Amino acid sequence: MSGPADAAVDLRAMPLAKSLAYLREHGEPADPRPDIDTTSLRRRFPHLAGVQTSDLRLDCPDRRLIEARLYRDTTAAAPGRALVWVHGGAFIGGHLDMPESNWVALELAAQGIPVLALDYVKCRGDVHFPEPADDVLIGWRHALAHAEELFDVGPDSVVLGGASAGGNLTAGIVARLRDTGEEVPSGLVLVYPALHPGEPGRTPDPAAPWMALAMNYSGRAEALADPYAWPGIGSAAGFPPTLIVVCEKDGLRPSGEAFAGVLADAGVPVALHLEPDADHGHINEPADPTARPTVEAIVDWILEER
């Protein structure tokens, strides 16, 4: 799953317990890349110059405020669609300034698709499922309640999406919305999503490398079988039309592909996009030649008449 990067501190190379201890003590390490801030991105990609951003804070009962950022380009033709977007980070990292959040949102807004990017509480100790998902659900409900104000579109024109851990969180809240009788999004975008606690179709293997992160998010063994925590193991009936992007070289590719099959079996319109030569987290690197085709695939799918 896409995670934090640093020139001196590589959390991905540490045992999970050590990574969590570092994050609790120091916070997320600075990204060493000099060209991923918004000013640099606009310099590299002039078509982003018209996108305006505004930071928001959403009330979260009994917890911190949820950070969010609105992206709009009033000079772009408005296609009548908007997106609520959720970054990844292995449930322990990630933030609104990482390219997987910021650059992707800038690109979509430049195509006339307003974006509300959401952050969420991280699982760095006492926090586990469902708290990150609850944050995303609060953000989604806020976006729908204020859709006209935020996006100049109605709530029935707002799409939900996320990457990696964000794909898990967004798919999970779709299942919760469905089961509580609330309206599900008009569409769902999942980019290299982590939808299963282990290999699809098999009992989770406690010795598998991914299981430490899965258990850290789940918080308890019982949650490994909870379809709201791991939507790939649940029913897809009642889901909206969905785009799933998987990467040729990604170890999580089977999770997205398996869920595409579950959606199709449930009669849900699903588009499965395979990004050739790409690996997990590729849209967190704007210079990666596989990143822009994925962003373009997302834009094209959102703009399709469904």
Side-chain angles (χ1 to χ4, degrees):
M1 308 183 78
S2 53
D6 187 272
V9 179
D10 185 357
L11 298 182
R12 293 165 296 186
M14 298 180 185
L16 178 60
K18 194 170 182 179
S19 295
L20 295 177
Y22 179 94
L23 288 165
R24 287 193 297 269
E25 182 175 355
H26 302 287
E28 195 141 359
D31 194 309
R33 292 173 289 180
D35 57 356
I36 60 165
D37 60 283
T38 299
T39 299
S40 296
L41 289 171
R42 286 178 171 147
R43 186 162 51 243
R44 293 166 65 189
F45 308 113
H47 62 278
L48 304 180
V51 179
Q52 301 299 311
T53 66
S54 56
D55 289 339
L56 311 174
R57 289 189 172 186
L58 313 181
D59 288 331
C60 182
D62 302 322
R63 268 210 317 278
R64 66 177 186 89
L65 296 174
I66 300 169
E67 304 289 339
R69 184 173 297 159
L70 178 64
Y71 297 76
R72 295 194 62 175
D73 186 344
T74 57
T75 69
R81 294 277 185 176
L83 173 69
V84 174
W85 180 246
V86 184
H87 65 78
F91 304 106
I92 66 172
H95 47 79
L96 295 180
D97 291 322
M98 66 189 293
E100 189 177 83
S101 182
N102 188 45
W103 175 64
V104 171
L106 286 167
E107 289 286 352
L108 268 70
Q111 297 297 318
I113 302 170
V115 178
L116 183 68
L118 298 176
D119 202 3
Y120 49 89
V121 67
K122 308 305 187 301
C123 299
R124 297 177 179 175
D126 295 335
V127 172
H128 305 286
F129 170 82
E131 291 181 64
D134 288 346
D135 283 5
V136 173
L137 184 56
I138 289 168
W140 170 253
R141 287 172 172 157
H142 177 89
L144 285 200
H146 301 275
E148 294 284 358
E149 171 191 347
L150 293 170
F151 310 126
D152 279 340
V153 302
D156 57 348
S157 296
V158 184
V159 175
L160 178 62
S164 195
N168 170 296
L169 298 173
T170 52
I173 71 163
V174 167
R176 291 168 66 179
L177 291 167
R178 174 200 62 198
D179 292 346
T180 56
E182 295 181 64
E183 288 294 324
V184 299
S186 63
L188 179 64
V189 176
L190 305 175
V191 180
Y192 40 74
L195 303 171
H196 300 79
E199 187 175 345
R202 296 192 178 185
T203 302
D205 177 5
W210 159 241
M211 277 306 298
L213 284 167
M215 191 62 215
N216 180 63
Y217 172 57
S218 299
R220 52 192 177 84
E222 294 80 1
L224 294 172
D226 189 328
Y228 297 145
W230 301 102
I233 65 176
S235 169
F239 266 59
T242 300
L243 168 67
I244 299 179
V245 177
V246 296
C247 303
E248 183 179 8
K249 300 176 180 178
D250 183 11
L252 282 179
R253 174 180 170 182
S255 183
E257 291 178 332
F259 194 57
V262 171
L263 288 163
D265 290 344
V268 176
V270 56
L272 180 63
H273 175 87
L274 172 64
E275 199 61 70
D277 297 322
D279 205 345
H280 193 85
H282 69 291
I283 61 171
N284 199 41
E285 177 46 78
D288 189 316
T290 65
R292 182 163 297 281
T294 290
V295 172
E296 291 172 350
I298 295 170
V299 171
D300 290 345
W301 186 85
I302 290 176
L303 298 184
E304 285 178 358
E305 290 293 335
R306 296 190 301 279

